[in-house]
Amino acid sequence: MTLTNIAPTAELQALDAAHHMHPFTANAALGAKGARIITRASGVRLTDSDGAELIDGMAGLWCVNIGYGREELAEAAARQMRELPYYNTFFQTSHVPALTLAARLAELAPGDLNHVFFAGSGSEANDTNIRMVRQYWALKGQPERRTIIARRNGYHGSTMGGGSLGGMAAMHAQGGLPIPGIVHIDQPYWWGEGGDMTPEAFGLARARQLEEKILELGVENVAAFIAEPVQGAGGVIIPPDSYWPEIQRIVDKYGILLIADEVITGFGRLGHWFGSQSYDIRPHIMTIAKGLSSGYQPIGGSIVCDEVAHTIAQDEFNHGYTYSGHPVAAAVALENLRIMEEEGIVARVQSETAPYLAKAWASLADHPLVGEAVSRGMMASLALTPDKASRARFASDPGTVGFVAREYSFGNNLVMRHVGDRLIIAPPLVITPDDIDALISRARKTLDQTHDHLRREGMLQAAA
Ligand SMILES: *Cc1c(COP(=O)(O)O)cnc(C)c1O
């Protein structure tokens, strides 16, 4: 079978429906409708098999930070494939791409986060983190410190470990998740769960659930707390300002390890190299993937502090992946980081792009369907609501309205995602003000169409 972009769309869709099992998809329904086939991309724009051009408001899956079509990354991959396409790092050998990337990441990461364990993805890296924090405490003579505290509606990947750390109810409903030794506290989602509290008070209350959970479990049983600086897949949930300082206080007080899952927030998305810097938190481990290679190659990892890495180093760590530090992926990641630095992309996000997006996105708040329009760095979300004043939910099942809106957005050639009844974006960091304007105008049109649709179908009622 040849790979071609010029077969008729219907033929490609039929093959896709017959043989390709899509992740996070009801495949029968998708097969009946036909997937949209993306054939090419450049900058922030995708082209589909019918020649339509879409603005990619999601940077692929939160990963194409420097945009599509960067020749330098293709060159870096080709060069590395010719020189050394693969070698392992298990058995007393190393190679230049992996060791150079580890050193570069140690340079970029704050504090004493100086050591890198590579994985093929964010999920794998979080599996590594489970093993690593438990092994750390075992080597410290406290093997009973095994429990990891995470958050409901957090996302940490889709392996057994990653899916268990995550707090996605729909994921836990299938396949026997979570695995033992992982417990969850509530998320700092003020708009949806804050009731009559101020955001400030609510942020403190949600952070203090960590302290309550530690005391309930007994600190001698707790290994670590894991969280995303800003929840991504959960709906771009931006915590109240009071949240992270309180979490940091609790982590420090009880001496548990803090894992910041930076898979989305790393590599410039919040206007710093890492989201932990944006929130002034001091993790012992940061999970990375996605923007590390701008999605051009699958690669992830854990950036680990001196204390944990030096402790782990005392014994053989019986863990690793065939593709840990894959030379081609590492070479592409290095080139990606080089470009980001040379072009000042992170600084530009902070000083120009994110402020521009914040202002443009906030302008959507006046729309009758929008309960809140918030952003942090290059992550933004809208809460759709039938009644702004009471922050009401729709009477329909959560996600029904969100899906309607997402379909209109897709029809308007704008990729937005819906999480429940929130609409979210996380565009490439290199998006220009002109493209942000185009994105906003398509988003506004989408909201108007959705509003008309809901009115027409009698779907504007609030849940009781
Ligand atoms: C995407 C994501 C992961 C999982 O990464 P994969 O590469 O899909 O395995 C983990 N954590 C966060 C915060 C993510 O957004």
Side-chain angles (χ1 to χ4, degrees):
M1 192 179 307
T2 52
L3 287 172
T4 172
N5 285 339
I6 55 165
T9 297
E11 229 170 84
L12 298 171
Q13 287 174 325
L15 282 174
D16 189 65
H19 304 294
H20 180 198
M21 299 171 76
H22 290 242
F24 285 104
T25 298
N27 277 281
L30 176 66
K33 170 180 162 197
R36 197 153 174 179
I37 315 282
I38 306 302
T39 53
R40 282 191 307 278
S42 174
V44 301
R45 285 185 162 71
L46 310 167
T47 305
D48 73 12
S49 54
D50 294 328
E53 226 180 55
L54 298 89
I55 296 178
D56 185 3
M58 284 305 299
L61 261 180
W62 326 82
C63 55
V64 188
N65 287 7
I66 64 165
Y68 298 93
R70 294 295 304 237
E71 275 299 318
E72 304 94 315
L73 297 193
E75 287 303 324
R79 223 180 303 124
Q80 188 58 47
M81 280 190 198
R82 292 195 179 98
E83 196 167 307
L84 181 71
Y86 177 75
Y87 201 67
N88 78 76
T89 52
F90 285 21
F91 306 120
Q92 318 279 304
T93 59
S94 195
H95 51 70
V96 176
L99 67 91
T100 311
L101 180 58
R104 180 72 184 118
L105 289 168
E107 217 167 54
L108 289 174
D112 69 348
L113 292 159
N114 288 322
H115 314 266
V116 184
F117 193 101
F118 287 111
S121 67
S123 302
E124 286 179 9
N126 278 326
D127 278 28
T128 296
N129 292 338
I130 296 172
R131 307 271 296 269
M132 186 152 16
V133 298
R134 288 176 176 171
Q135 170 69 353
Y136 168 80
W137 287 115
L139 288 166
K140 285 289 190 188
Q142 301 180 59
E144 64 292 345
R145 274 201 190 241
R146 291 174 50 81
T147 301
I148 300 168
I149 303 173
R151 302 185 302 183
R152 293 188 188 95
N153 201 39
Y155 188 78
H156 300 295
S158 196
T159 50
M160 289 298 285
S164 295
L165 291 172
M168 296 287 172
M171 290 174 71
H172 288 188
Q174 299 174 352
L177 270 61
I179 58 174
I182 294 170
V183 299
H184 297 83
I185 58 174
D186 287 321
Q187 60 180 336
Y189 178 24
W190 176 79
W191 194 87
E193 301 175 0
D196 293 335
M197 296 174 91
T198 63
E200 198 73 3
F202 177 74
L204 283 179
R206 286 290 157 103
R208 283 176 189 155
Q209 282 194 11
L210 176 60
E211 187 159 33
E212 289 155 21
K213 186 58 83 177
I214 291 170
L215 295 173
E216 175 194 321
L217 294 163
V219 65
E220 68 282 2
N221 297 311
V222 178
F225 173 63
I226 183 169
E228 306 153 81
V230 171
Q231 287 157 263
V236 180
I237 310 295
I238 300 164
D241 287 340
S242 57
Y243 183 75
W244 274 113
E246 184 67 1
I247 291 285
Q248 184 69 55
R249 179 191 72 75
I250 294 164
V251 163
D252 289 346
K253 176 172 174 188
Y254 294 97
I256 65 170
L257 297 176
L258 175 60
I259 307 168
D261 187 336
E262 296 264 8
V263 169
I264 288 174
T265 52
F267 308 103
R269 188 149 293 279
L270 299 187
H272 292 85
W273 278 100
F274 297 96
S276 293
Q277 295 164 309
S278 304
Y279 281 99
D280 222 358
I281 52 180
R282 297 181 305 282
H284 300 90
I285 298 176
M286 297 194 303
T287 319
I288 55 171
K290 294 192 173 127
L292 169 57
S293 66
S294 281
Y296 280 61
Q297 284 283 292
I299 182 168
S302 307
I303 312 184
V304 181
C305 72
D306 287 342
E307 160 66 16
V308 172
H310 291 155
T311 303
I312 292 290
Q314 289 163 21
D315 198 357
E316 178 168 346
F317 187 34
N318 299 317
H319 173 69
Y321 309 104
T322 299
Y323 297 139
S324 285
H326 192 288
V328 177
V332 168
L334 274 166
E335 184 64 4
N336 176 57
L337 298 179
R338 188 193 66 74
I339 290 172
M340 288 194 64
E341 179 166 54
E342 197 167 291
E343 299 184 0
I345 290 172
V346 180
R348 195 164 75 235
V349 164
Q350 184 171 140
S351 65
E352 294 171 34
T353 322
Y356 193 91
L357 177 70
K359 192 153 175 253
W361 190 257
S363 76
L364 296 172
D366 66 8
H367 194 279
L369 266 190
V370 173
E372 69 167 358
V374 291
S375 72
R376 176 99 187 194
M378 299 303 286
M379 302 171 78
S381 58
L382 302 175
L384 303 183
T385 178
D387 182 42
K388 288 171 190 269
S390 64
R391 311 206 305 267
R393 294 205 332 235
F394 291 97
S396 50
D397 287 341
T400 309
V401 170
F403 185 75
V404 168
R406 202 211 74 110
E407 290 292 275
Y408 280 114
S409 182
F410 225 28
N412 293 328
N413 291 328
L414 168 62
V415 179
M416 285 197 284
R417 186 167 150 192
H418 81 99
V419 176
D421 295 325
R422 293 184 79 83
L423 291 176
I424 66 177
I425 59 161
L429 306 185
V430 296
I431 192 169
T432 61
D434 279 355
D435 283 334
I436 290 175
D437 291 345
L439 184 158
I440 297 292
S441 100
R442 290 180 199 188
R444 187 171 281 281
K445 182 175 172 196
T446 297
L447 292 168
D448 288 342
Q449 290 166 320
T450 304
H451 197 214
D452 286 347
H453 179 110
L454 299 181
R455 214 185 284 120
R456 211 165 49 235
E457 305 288 325
M459 290 169 68
L460 274 170
Q461 279 96 309

